[in-house]
């Protein structure tokens, strides 16, 4: 299988991803959009699900026929089974699920209300489980599939002011290992990418007005810079392709060394 990365702006190429149906949550912005674009460039049939119609329209315009957009707030758990059925009917059997959608909130733990905590857990953990379960029911019936979770450095070490986010992303990593042992024997691999600090609107909200935090991030990142959404997208392509067919249950940091930095 040919794999190339000619320069920093280019995605990897995997022949086996052609025509695969790839569902990317939050696929209309930031890391999710880069993932959607990278799969589209590999001739996959990409389905982006998001709650922001205008962002979805812009993504559909950018990626053209390679993208089908579905507007849904994933927190509406009851709407996930009909969503999956609709995608399977309209686009095809889902081969790859990338659980990318996520939210963050920066606040001292003592000021986080139960409602705020639960809101973050619902999007980042419960909805991720509920969607994975619905998609896996069909993948398991077909005996194949790849599910990719997205966690965070917040699940690798302690970061202040993000207690709910940390709890949710740590749960995602645990869930990755649990689902991998249940589903991999039946052909469905489950892996997780732990991005470091990647240039998106989520990270700029957390870092741009807080130079102390930004300097701390950079000082413990051996590669000395933030990552690009494409760096995460390339890892997702690999974990979706047959090139990773013996890999399941792993947490793959894509972080310029941030998780092992001194
Ligand atoms: P972003 O805020 O640019 O994108 C997140 C997307 O998810 C948005 O399009 C948003 O509308 C969508 N979304 C959120 N809640 C949703 C819901 N309930 N229903 C439907 N769509 C929903 O953020 P970014 O930076 O691209 O993050 C993507 C993922 O990567 C998230 O899971 C985040 O936690 C993770 N991550 C990001 C890092 C970074 O440095 N940017 C670092 C580590 C992890």
């Amino acid at each position: 299988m040919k794999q190339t990365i000619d320069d920093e702006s280019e995605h990897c190429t995997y022949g086996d991803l052609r025509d695969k149906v790839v569902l990317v949550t939050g696929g209309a912005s930031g890391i999710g959009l880069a993932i959607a674009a990278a799969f589209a460039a590999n001739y996959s049939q990409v389905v982006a699900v998001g709650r922001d119609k205008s962002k979805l329209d812009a993504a559909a315009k950018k990626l053209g026929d390679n993208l089908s957009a579905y507007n849904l707030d994933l927190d509406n758990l009851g709407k996930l089974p009909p969503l999956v059925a609709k995608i399977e009917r309209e686009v095809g059997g889902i081969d790859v699920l990338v659980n990318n959608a996520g939210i963050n909130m920066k606040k001292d733990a003592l000021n986080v209300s139960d409602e705020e905590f639960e809101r973050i857990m619902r999007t980042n953990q419960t909805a991720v489980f509920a969607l994975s379960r619905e998609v896996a029911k069909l993948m398991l019936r077909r005996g194949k599939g790849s599910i990719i979770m997205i966690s965070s450095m917040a699940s690798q070490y302690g970061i202040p002011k993000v207690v709910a986010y940390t709890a949710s992303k740590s749960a995602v990593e645990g869930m990755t290992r649990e689902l991998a042992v249940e589903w991999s024997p039946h052909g469905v691999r489950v892996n997780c990418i732990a991005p470091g600090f990647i240039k998106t609107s989520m990270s700029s909200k957390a870092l741009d007005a807080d130079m102390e935090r930004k300097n701390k991030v950079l000082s413990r990142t051996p590669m000395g810079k933030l990552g690009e959404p494409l760096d995460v997208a390339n890892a997702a392509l690999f974990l979706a392709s047959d090139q990773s067919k013996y890999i399941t249950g792993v947490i793959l940091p894509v972080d310029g060394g941030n998780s092992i930095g001194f």
Side-chain angles (χ1 to χ4, degrees), residues 8 20 35 59-60 62 68 79 83 86 95 100 110 115 121 149 153 158 162 171-172 187 191 200 210 223 230 233 256:
E8 279 199 348
K20 288 272 162 73
I35 292 173
K62 185 174 170 201
S68 315
K79 299 220 163 127
L83 170 77
K86 193 163 191 257
D95 297 293
N100 164 79
L110 287 181
E115 291 70 27
M121 294 299 276
M149 312 285 189
M153 287 302 105
V162 286
V172 162
N191 289 294
T200 68
D210 188 345
M223 294 182 80
L230 185 65

Side-chain angles (χ1 to χ4, degrees), residues 25-32 49-52 55 72-75 99-103 123-124 150-153 165 169 195-203:
T25 66
S29 69
I31 292 172
V49 176
R51 61 182 173 180
D52 185 327
K55 280 192 207 160
L72 180 70
D73 186 330
L74 296 158
D75 290 358
N99 283 305
N100 164 79
I103 51 172
T123 304
N124 292 3
I150 306 284
S151 64
S152 161
M153 287 302 105
Y165 185 76
K169 293 296 187 178
F197 293 82
I198 309 293
K199 286 182 214 155
T200 68
S201 59
M202 183 187 280
S203 62

Side-chain angles (χ1 to χ4, degrees), residues 20 88 93-95 135-146 182-189 242 245:
K20 288 272 162 73
E88 293 252 334
I94 299 164
D95 297 293
V135 171
K137 283 178 187 168
L138 302 163
M139 286 180 165
L140 290 167
R141 210 177 286 163
R142 293 188 283 266
K144 63 184 170 91
S146 171
E182 281 202 36
W183 296 343
S184 304
H186 311 290
V188 177
R189 297 184 296 114
D242 291 342
K245 66 184 168 50

Side-chain angles (χ1 to χ4, degrees), residues 79-100:
K79 299 220 163 127
L80 299 182
L83 170 77
V84 171
K86 193 163 191 257
I87 293 168
E88 293 252 334
R89 204 169 52 242
E90 294 177 352
V91 185
I94 299 164
D95 297 293
V96 178
L97 166 64
V98 186
N99 283 305
N100 164 79

